[in-house]
Amino acid sequence: MTAFLQLARKRQGDTIALIRQLVECESPSDDPTSVNRFVDLLSENVNDIARIRTFKGGKVGKHLRCEFRLPGREKSGRILALGHSDTVWPPGTLRSMPFRQAKGRLWGPGVFDMKSGLALFIGGMRLLRELDIPVRREVILQVNSDEEIGSPSSRELTEAAARQSMAVLVLEPAAGLDGKLKTARKGVGDYSVIVRGLPSHAGLDFEKGASSIVEMARQIERIAGFTRLDRGITVSPGVISGGTRSNVIPELCSIEVDVRAPRAADARYLERKFQTLKPFDKRCAIEVTGGMNRPPLERTAGVRKLFAIARAAALEMGVQLDECSVGGGSDGNFTAALGVPTLDGLGAVGEGAHAANESILISKIAERTALLAKLVSTL
């Protein structure tokens, strides 16, 4: 057992206490007052070891940047750690999903995605200070307030910080109960398709109408056909709206489509396919808007090297670390697309993101805290 893991286990109670504070400070994406309260709480818990800066988030809460004061006189290059303060849970969720410790787990809204990841990283930086381990790089933790809604105001801030960094560590939760790191993520996008038809009376002037709903039904089958499971490309029409009354040939119909693409080339394929949509009924018109919201996080040579370093660090502590690819996106998609080596899934080990069973394994807390400390000291 390394000194990192020994001390992480000794300090595990402090880490759990911080996790509880963060979980019990609700911070839904659409409630900037609550998010700002969370940012203030997090700042109070780290301002003794880091310089705090905040950035306006526009319609969302403020973004936070913590610049850690770590051992080692000369620093060359930067490590950027990424997390987010917002959750999907509405205010008052704690009444039905209170923070609790039971069955070897910590439970509560946001505990897995991803408030524990923030606490683990802060705990890791405290280990480095307590053990007086020299760190060669500047270490910055950026906590965005709008990740769960696509990072509209934080993306530019994230990309600017990544361009000045030699590696990005994403504190999103691990994959699976064995704690796999995420070395690839699909790109995520949304397309909106609108069909405009010709309205008419469904009884008196049926033949004069051109139904937007009938046309859209045909288009949906075509759009769903863009899916290529052999390439990991998925296209899912998820929301449909159209028509006014049953006795009116509908003029308008719209759908919202979720798309996932593992590679940049796949995202370009989808863009071309949506541009080919033409009406079956020439009296109808089709409008397509949208595109990729997050570019793919591809398993590049830089990502593979970063994972190899993390795996070796874990093995020194007697921990087996594996990797995987996942379908969901994170802010790490943005940094990887810039060519900056990015390693995701370094946060808590558990399950139930965005679900009532959201929880993390207590037995993995010290391991993750120690891994983050060791990884930062190694890079």
Side-chain angles (χ1 to χ4, degrees), residues 255-330:
I255 60 168
E256 297 173 20
V257 187
D258 177 276
V259 299
R260 309 276 166 153
R263 292 164 290 274
D266 300 325
R268 293 191 292 271
Y269 154 82
L270 287 171
E271 183 177 358
R272 292 193 301 269
K273 296 298 284 186
F274 274 93
Q275 289 174 350
T276 66
L277 292 177
K278 303 295 181 185
F280 290 89
D281 186 333
K282 303 303 181 183
R283 297 174 297 170
C284 294
I286 297 177
E287 299 175 13
V288 178
T289 57
M292 297 305 293
N293 168 285
R294 296 182 190 273
L297 191 169
E298 299 189 50
R299 191 177 181 273
T300 62
V303 172
R304 293 195 299 270
K305 181 179 179 180
L306 197 52
F307 173 73
I309 294 171
R311 180 170 55 186
L315 283 174
E316 289 181 15
M317 298 187 296
V319 177
Q320 178 65 43
L321 200 59
D322 294 313
E323 61 178 312
C324 69
S325 172
V326 296
S330 80

Side-chain angles (χ1 to χ4, degrees), residues 232-265:
I233 301 170
T234 59
V235 181
S236 176
V239 178
I240 185 169
S241 176
T244 54
R245 296 180 181 275
S246 62
N247 63 350
V248 178
I249 302 296
E251 179 181 12
L252 290 175
C253 187
S254 65
I255 60 168
E256 297 173 20
V257 187
D258 177 276
V259 299
R260 309 276 166 153
R263 292 164 290 274

Side-chain angles (χ1 to χ4, degrees), residues 39-52:
V39 169
D40 291 342
L41 173 64
L42 190 61
S43 300
E44 291 171 6
N45 276 277
V46 77
N47 62 14
D48 61 320
I49 61 170
R51 186 167 77 93
I52 303 300

